[in-house]
Amino acid sequence: MTAPDPSDAALAEAELARLRAEAEAAEAAAKAAAAKAALAAAEVEAARARAGVASAEQVAPTAVATPDAPAAPDAPDAAAAPDVAGPVTTDEAGPLTGDEVAAIVRGYAFEGPTIAVGALVNGDPVPEAQVRIPLAMMNRHGLVAGATGTGKTRTLQGLAEQLAAHGVPVFAADIKGDLSGVATPGEASEKLLARTRGIGQDWQPAASATEYFALGGIGHGIPVRATVSGFGPLLLSKVLGLNATQESSLGLVFHYADREGLALVDLSDLRAVLTFLTGDEGKGELKALGGLSAATAGVILRQLITFADQGADVFFGEPELDVREFLRTAPDGRGIISLLEVPGVIDKPALFSTFLMYLLAELFEVLPEVGDIDKPKLVFFFDEAHLLFRDASKDFLAAIVQTVRLIRSKGVGVFFVTQTPKDVPADVLAQLGSRVQHALRAFTPDDAKALRATVGTYPTSGYDLERVLQELGTGEAIVTVMNEKGAPSPVAWTRLQAPRGLMSPTPEAQIVAAVAASPLLPAYGTAVDRESAREILTAKMQAADARAAADEAAREQAKTDAELARQRAAMEKAEAAERKKAEDAEEKAQREYERLLKKTAGTSRTRRTTRSSSPLEEILGSPATGKILDGVIRGVFGIGRR
């Protein structure tokens, strides 16, 4: 029999010691996990107690919702406790430890009213770990981003419904037309109810008070129009794609129109002013201000014509919508969701996005300063936000940043909705307090670079965000918000709550009926064409033409009168010469006659003194003979007529 090898015995002992150590470590880890779970459960209960949320024993079992069971508007999901209570559990396959889950629970336990976003996901949903946004922080702006089809629109819808239920008016552009479902109660299904129960959402169908608007009247809603003066040169330059020189020239034109009291209501008014300032009548008007070159005016005019040919004429005019109409609430206290219908103008992205920026700028102008308030006066959802910043000038971006930074103090929150955070300039992102990031795709090197840049903007967390952001399912997002102290909350992988309204468009007939019954239709439904710059300048140029015609007629009359005077003077001169000639001839004849008389008279006296007159002499010397001789002489010298 072979003796056992001492080395084999040593190896066996070492393996046994290793296994024993692993077992002890596993037992310690299990005890630690149990202790952490108990601690997390205690922290959840403490957070609920601080927020006034009922404990597990006080929460009623979840009822199966039906489409006919409306939700109470004063009890939105944001204020409701989850229907699943008890200790926080963690999935062994989840990326977060029990301590990290507990930290997230603490980070989203707020004292005031909140907007429910969803439940934490740690492998599986953790219903006890609800992710929320403080209602008072909704005017600190936010971002909803993600690739196409990841659920951004449903996120927007859910946030809008809860804000309205809290009495906060909402404005949103309905790009694809499916946001109109907020006006119709949602439809229950087993899949929907299973999902909502899994995240602790007590889902019930509900319709929100909704007002429909249409940009320039293209669509079914109340027409939203703006005057060119109200739109301003900066936004219009962005829409027209003008360079810096052309933009400054357009600003000069607006300045002149304002100084002269020329109302720029529609595009024809602006064209009329440009034409006037480059014409003979008005080209000197801006000389003291630097002037307007014909080449620059020509570029602007051509761009305006192209702009109008694209259908933009309908967006400018009167009556101009008072943006305070977006701040209305329903009789029951709910905020009204104002949906801007834009499917007919989405092929004009620059105009669409710039028009929304105009509305935001108008809100900034008309609203008073309110500082920090318990809930916003309005939350403005800026869908397809990348269209706003594409090819924007530095001045335009500066105007956006300033508006976003300052409008918070007016009680207005702005949420940008776009595909990737890189669509929004860094200066704008720096103003955002809440962030809901849906899945991102990385199919190209540029996509991968953008993904890494996005990951770098998040606080440190227990997630491998570069991987998680590509693994998020539809309706899931990475969330971080601003807490009530103004600090960022923990990063949370969140399964988002489902909207209570219909997740498809409201039937068209229902929309048409709602618009017809709107109290705003009589005030804004019919376009008005009052006297403005075009009519004033047309009358001015017609008067100038009339004056020019009168001046021309006067000049022609003066020329005619001068010619007549010249001819009259010539005739008078000719007559005077003729008279002078006749007088000279008469005078000459008279002298000749007198000479002859003198000669004849002298001869007769001599003869009378020396000798007696003969009969012939007596005849010649008689008065009768004198008259005869006088007539003969006159005939001979041509003076008989005179």
Side-chain angles (χ1 to χ4, degrees):
M1 182 175 179
T2 306
D5 189 344
S7 62
D8 291 340
L11 288 174
E13 286 295 330
E15 180 65 15
L16 181 62
R18 185 186 66 79
L19 292 174
R20 186 180 293 111
E22 287 183 354
E24 291 174 353
E27 183 179 2
K31 290 179 180 179
K36 289 178 181 179
L39 175 61
E43 289 172 339
V44 170
E45 292 298 352
R48 285 177 175 167
R50 287 193 301 271
V53 180
S55 64
E57 290 79 9
Q58 296 171 316
V59 177
T62 303
V64 177
T66 63
D68 297 326
D74 58 347
D77 289 331
D83 62 355
V84 179
V88 176
T89 58
T90 61
D91 193 321
E92 291 297 329
L96 302 180
T97 65
D99 286 342
E100 290 170 329
V101 171
I104 289 175
V105 171
R106 290 194 301 271
Y108 289 93
F110 305 119
E111 295 181 0
T114 58
I115 300 296
V117 179
L120 179 70
V121 174
N122 192 36
D124 288 325
V126 184
E128 300 85 356
Q130 290 292 310
V131 177
R132 305 178 177 91
I133 305 175
L135 183 60
M137 294 292 106
M138 289 296 287
N139 69 333
R140 300 301 179 95
H141 314 319
L143 174 71
V144 178
T148 300
T150 56
K152 297 191 302 295
T153 302
R154 301 283 76 86
T155 299
L156 189 162
Q157 182 177 346
L159 294 176
E161 289 176 349
Q162 292 188 64
L163 285 164
H166 277 286
V168 178
V170 173
F171 176 90
D174 192 4
I175 300 295
K176 299 181 287 294
D178 51 2
L179 266 181
S180 62
V182 297
T184 305
E187 297 177 350
S189 67
E190 286 302 323
K191 181 179 179 181
L192 174 65
L193 294 176
R195 185 184 192 280
T196 56
R197 281 195 296 267
I199 61 174
Q201 179 185 3
D202 182 15
W203 187 90
Q204 292 180 350
S208 300
T210 306
E211 189 78 70
Y212 299 97
F213 294 89
L215 198 57
I218 299 179
H220 300 297
I222 305 298
V224 177
R225 301 183 183 91
T227 62
V228 172
S229 292
F231 205 74
L234 183 61
L235 293 178
L236 190 58
S237 296
K238 200 272 182 182
V239 173
L240 298 178
L242 304 182
N243 61 30
T245 301
Q246 294 155 359
E247 182 179 324
S248 64
S249 297
L250 186 61
L252 189 62
V253 173
F254 272 71
H255 170 77
Y256 169 79
D258 184 61
R259 187 188 70 187
E260 298 297 320
L262 300 173
L264 300 177
V265 175
D266 52 28
L267 294 180
S268 64
D269 289 323
L270 183 55
R271 290 196 296 266
V273 174
L274 283 164
T275 302
F276 172 75
L277 291 175
T278 53
D280 294 336
E281 183 72 15
K283 62 184 178 182
E285 295 284 343
L286 297 179
K287 188 174 182 179
L289 300 176
L292 175 67
S293 74
T296 299
V299 171
I300 298 173
L301 281 169
R302 288 192 294 273
Q303 292 297 99
L304 285 173
I305 292 172
T306 302
F307 191 39
D309 288 344
Q310 293 174 350
D313 265 342
V314 298
F315 307 128
F316 297 97
E318 290 183 320
E320 186 174 37
L321 184 75
D322 186 346
V323 293
R324 284 170 288 206
E325 302 289 3
F326 300 138
L327 304 177
R328 296 183 302 132
T329 56
D332 60 4
R334 291 179 298 164
I336 292 178
I337 299 177
S338 299
L339 294 182
L340 182 66
E341 183 183 356
V342 291
V345 295
I346 195 58
D347 57 335
K348 307 173 186 63
L351 174 65
F352 153 70
S353 61
T354 310
F355 206 100
L356 294 190
M357 192 62 205
Y358 154 76
L359 296 179
L360 199 59
E362 283 293 293
L363 285 167
F364 177 77
E365 290 294 328
V366 303
L367 293 179
E369 292 281 341
V370 294
D372 292 326
I373 51 180
D374 293 337
K375 63 181 181 181
K377 299 179 70 173
L378 173 72
V379 175
F380 194 102
F381 287 93
F382 210 128
D383 203 0
E384 301 295 339
H386 63 282
L387 300 177
L388 176 67
F389 304 107
R390 181 183 298 167
D391 302 325
S393 66
K394 291 183 179 179
D395 289 341
F396 184 71
L397 287 177
I400 296 173
V401 172
Q402 182 181 27
T403 300
V404 172
R405 179 183 295 119
L406 298 180
I407 204 170
R408 178 196 66 78
S409 63
K410 304 295 184 84
V412 177
V414 182
F415 273 69
F416 295 97
V417 184
T418 188
Q419 294 189 2
T420 173
K422 70 182 182 65
D423 294 333
V424 182
D427 288 342
V428 177
L429 286 175
Q431 308 301 319
L432 308 183
S434 299
R435 184 167 171 183
V436 181
Q437 177 66 64
H438 290 265
L440 291 175
R441 311 293 183 225
F443 297 131
T444 68
D446 287 342
D447 292 341
K449 184 178 179 181
L451 176 62
R452 287 191 294 272
T454 299
V455 170
T457 62
Y458 278 96
T460 302
S461 68
Y463 300 107
D464 178 3
L465 287 178
E466 189 168 347
R467 178 179 61 82
V468 170
L469 284 174
Q470 299 181 76
E471 295 178 354
L472 292 172
T474 301
E476 294 182 350
I478 296 297
V479 177
T480 180
V481 306
M482 183 177 289
N483 65 26
E484 293 167 316
K485 296 181 180 180
S489 66
V491 176
W493 181 347
T494 306
R495 183 163 295 174
L496 303 170
Q497 289 201 357
R500 291 183 172 188
L502 195 64
M503 287 188 278
S504 59
T506 291
E508 183 176 335
Q510 186 175 329
I511 296 176
V512 172
V515 173
S518 171
L520 301 180
L521 188 61
Y524 301 106
T526 304
V528 176
D529 187 12
R530 67 177 174 93
E531 184 182 65
S532 54
R534 177 171 55 87
E535 290 81 8
I536 293 172
L537 289 177
T538 298
K540 186 175 182 178
M541 286 189 284
Q542 287 176 347
D545 290 343
R547 287 196 303 271
D551 292 344
E552 181 64 24
R555 286 194 295 271
E556 290 296 326
Q557 184 63 41
K559 288 172 62 177
T560 301
D561 292 344
E563 180 64 21
L564 288 174
R566 186 187 66 77
Q567 292 181 5
R568 188 177 294 112
M571 290 176 61
E572 289 176 352
K573 183 177 180 181
E575 288 178 355
E578 186 69 20
R579 283 196 304 271
K580 182 70 168 59
K581 182 178 179 182
E583 290 172 356
D584 291 346
E586 185 175 0
E587 184 180 354
K588 183 178 180 181
Q590 184 66 31
R591 286 197 303 270
E592 183 64 21
Y593 169 68
E594 290 176 354
R595 186 183 67 77
L596 290 174
L597 284 179
K598 186 183 290 185
K599 182 178 180 181
T600 304
T603 304
S604 299
R605 282 196 299 273
T606 304
R607 289 177 179 175
R608 279 198 299 269
T609 57
T610 57
R611 60 182 176 90
S612 300
S613 300
S614 68
L616 179 59
E617 289 174 338
E618 291 177 358
I619 293 171
L620 292 172
S622 68
T625 303
K627 290 181 180 180
I628 293 172
L629 287 173
D630 184 70
V632 171
I633 291 170
R634 284 180 172 283
V636 170
F637 290 100
I639 60 174
R641 293 188 301 276
R642 300 182 182 274

